[in-house]
Amino acid sequence: MRTQVVIIGGGPSGLLLGQLLHRQGIEAVVLERKTRDYVLGRIRAGVLETGLVKLMEEAGVAERLHREGFVHDGTEIACDGEMFHVDFRKLTGTPVIVYGQTEVTRDLYDARADAGAQTEFEVDHVVIHDADSDHPYVTFDQNGTARRIDCDFIAGCDGFHGVSRQSIPLSVRREYEKTYPFGWLGVLSETPPVHDELIYANSPRGFALSSMRNAHLSRYYIQCALSDHPEDWTDKAFWQELKRRIPDEIAERLETGPTIEKSIAPLRSFVTEPMRWGRLFLCGDAAHIVPPTGAKGLNTAASDVHYLYHALVQHYRDKDDEGIDRYSERALLRVWKAERFSWWFSGLLHRYPDQSPFDLKMQQADLSFLRDNEAQQRAFAENYVGLPY
């Protein structure tokens, strides 16, 4: 088999890239290790920057997003038992849209099926060959049969544990990593959101976040120890702890109920450089991880897709490789800015085990400065709604 682009990974970044290429007449085959139902069963954040929304529009898959998504003009930040509002639309002219990552993925899968584009599920033992040559190819097993696809380019959209990054020699790549000494315990409940915007809370007991998926489905998080397990937390214990960390006026109107999903996610900042090796390009979690604070994971993957999509169109349509040659440079420039924001915002809201009284005072001063200074709020809002591509 032969195609122009092999996309390894059938998550939102790989599907978005495939759909954008399809609309430009560029053929791509998507390889996914799991089934479609398995991919759609993953629960992920869903705060979409304007840049991602525009890519979805360009891909022709934004109709349901605009119909069902929640437009958020700002966010609330709580500290010392009080809240203050950061108005994104006033400060930047731009909102964000809350729309679940699962729904983004579903829309892209439906569009790919409608287009008759090729997606291969349940592939195993994927191996990338000759990526540093002019004739790369990918081999894999499927249903007990060995298969091979020859191609012009390979897009590695297969996440942190995928084969793509590992295919770049250690002599070529350099990795940067920070691990955080806590995790997020998250629950999903069939209850109405406690507020019409996200609430990020800093409290002496640790961080908390009140979010939502839709009008009847809420997502809540609390900072927890890395040694904790989801089964350690009963629903009653979770709701009690959440109420202790958010302002009283919010806690009083919080509707609780049985949780339908509960998990703990560790926090990590990670970047690999470069994001290109020969004809192999890394996108999304294959190249970088951000803490979930500020919801930059999917959005940073989308910026990679933007740069790679335009580079490939430039190659095929204009016979110009400038975008390909500069892909890693351009993508990493924005990646590191997103990493900085997620790292800074995490430091603003969480309690660290080694914080001294001085550190806590600095954290309080930083929160006060954000509350009281419009220029700081504007810088925060510009990062939150998404820096330009």
Side-chain angles (χ1 to χ4, degrees):
M1 186 191 310
R2 177 167 179 81
T3 190
Q4 290 173 298
V5 182
V6 170
I7 299 173
I8 304 175
S13 59
L15 295 171
L16 180 58
L17 176 62
Q19 182 66 9
L20 288 164
L21 294 176
H22 170 76
R23 288 172 67 89
Q24 294 294 329
I26 300 170
E27 186 181 58
V29 175
V30 173
L31 304 180
E32 169 53 43
R33 187 168 60 92
K34 300 292 188 177
T35 64
R36 170 182 164 137
D37 287 344
Y38 181 93
V39 175
L40 291 175
R42 298 168 180 160
I43 303 297
R44 297 289 188 272
V47 178
L48 311 187
E49 296 177 355
T50 299
L52 174 50
V53 173
K54 289 181 178 177
L55 284 173
M56 293 285 283
E57 291 170 348
E58 190 172 353
V61 290
E63 181 180 348
R64 192 164 72 98
L65 183 160
H66 285 303
R67 185 174 67 248
E68 299 180 9
F70 291 81
V71 176
H72 281 199
D73 291 333
T75 194
E76 298 283 349
I77 298 177
C79 56
D80 298 327
E82 299 180 349
M83 293 198 308
F84 64 91
H85 185 248
V86 180
D87 191 326
F88 300 153
R89 194 180 289 274
K90 174 186 173 183
L91 294 163
T92 70
T94 304
V96 293
I97 295 182
V98 174
Y99 186 69
Q101 180 173 320
T102 300
E103 304 312 312
V104 170
T105 308
R106 190 186 310 278
D107 293 341
L108 288 164
Y109 266 133
D110 289 347
R112 188 162 185 82
D114 291 343
Q118 186 175 356
T119 305
E120 300 291 338
F121 292 100
E122 297 183 273
V123 305
D124 203 2
H125 304 116
V126 175
V127 179
I128 296 170
H129 303 266
D130 298 343
D132 58 341
S133 76
D134 292 336
H135 304 286
Y137 65 98
V138 176
T139 59
F140 59 95
D141 295 337
Q142 187 180 43
N143 300 322
T145 301
R147 302 186 62 186
R148 168 174 169 156
I149 305 181
D150 292 275
C151 56
D152 299 329
F153 301 101
I154 301 167
C157 305
D158 50 347
F160 183 80
H161 298 289
V163 303
S164 296
R165 185 180 71 258
Q166 303 300 329
S167 299
I168 300 177
L170 284 171
S171 60
V172 174
R173 59 185 160 99
R174 183 172 182 182
E175 298 182 348
Y176 304 83
E177 185 172 20
K178 174 182 176 59
T179 56
Y180 296 77
F182 43 74
W184 276 18
L185 170 63
V187 305
L188 197 64
S189 64
E190 291 180 324
T191 55
V194 71
H195 196 273
D196 57 2
E197 291 183 342
L198 272 65
I199 302 173
Y200 292 90
N202 171 304
S203 90
R205 299 182 66 89
F207 165 79
L209 171 62
S210 301
S211 183
M212 70 285 290
R213 288 294 173 267
N214 56 49
H216 308 287
L217 197 61
S218 298
R219 186 75 165 156
Y220 296 100
Y221 301 90
I222 59 173
Q223 176 183 346
C224 67
L226 286 172
S227 57
D228 285 0
H229 298 89
E231 56 270 22
D232 298 335
W233 287 84
T234 64
D235 288 352
K236 180 180 179 180
F238 176 86
W239 293 122
Q240 287 177 339
E241 186 59 31
L242 176 65
K243 288 181 176 181
R244 294 185 184 107
R245 300 187 187 192
I246 57 180
D248 290 343
E249 62 178 290
I250 301 298
E252 288 173 2
R253 65 172 188 258
L254 176 70
E255 291 192 32
T256 65
T259 63
I260 58 177
E261 193 268 343
K262 189 182 296 177
S263 59
I264 292 178
L267 273 65
R268 167 191 291 154
S269 297
F270 173 87
V271 181
T272 190
E273 296 185 354
M275 289 174 57
R276 174 204 173 192
W277 182 56
R279 293 185 173 233
L280 168 63
F281 305 86
L282 304 181
C283 281
D285 288 358
H288 43 76
I289 302 285
V290 292
T293 327
K296 291 301 168 197
L298 176 59
N299 291 295
T300 307
S303 70
D304 298 342
V305 169
H306 165 84
Y307 294 119
L308 182 53
Y309 156 58
H310 284 283
L312 291 170
V313 170
Q314 190 178 3
H315 168 84
Y316 284 110
R317 185 185 64 196
D318 303 331
K319 312 301 180 186
D320 183 354
D321 283 347
E322 184 264 349
I324 285 174
D325 293 338
R326 297 191 61 195
Y327 166 73
S328 181
E329 170 195 345
R330 287 172 171 159
L332 282 167
L333 185 63
R334 193 177 188 279
V335 163
W336 277 113
K337 291 176 182 176
E339 292 280 349
R340 185 212 67 83
F341 176 72
S342 297
W343 162 81
W344 170 81
F345 199 25
S346 296
L348 187 70
L349 297 173
H350 292 82
R351 292 301 167 110
Y352 290 71
D354 60 350
Q355 277 179 313
S356 68
F358 179 86
D359 295 330
L360 292 171
K361 285 291 187 181
M362 288 298 98
Q363 190 180 63
Q364 292 170 5
D366 209 359
L367 282 160
S368 297
F369 187 59
L370 178 60
R371 180 192 62 207
D372 300 334
N373 187 277
E374 184 173 308
Q376 180 74 342
Q377 285 198 9
R378 181 173 289 107
F380 172 85
E382 288 173 352
N383 279 274
Y384 197 101
V385 304
L387 298 173
Y389 294 158

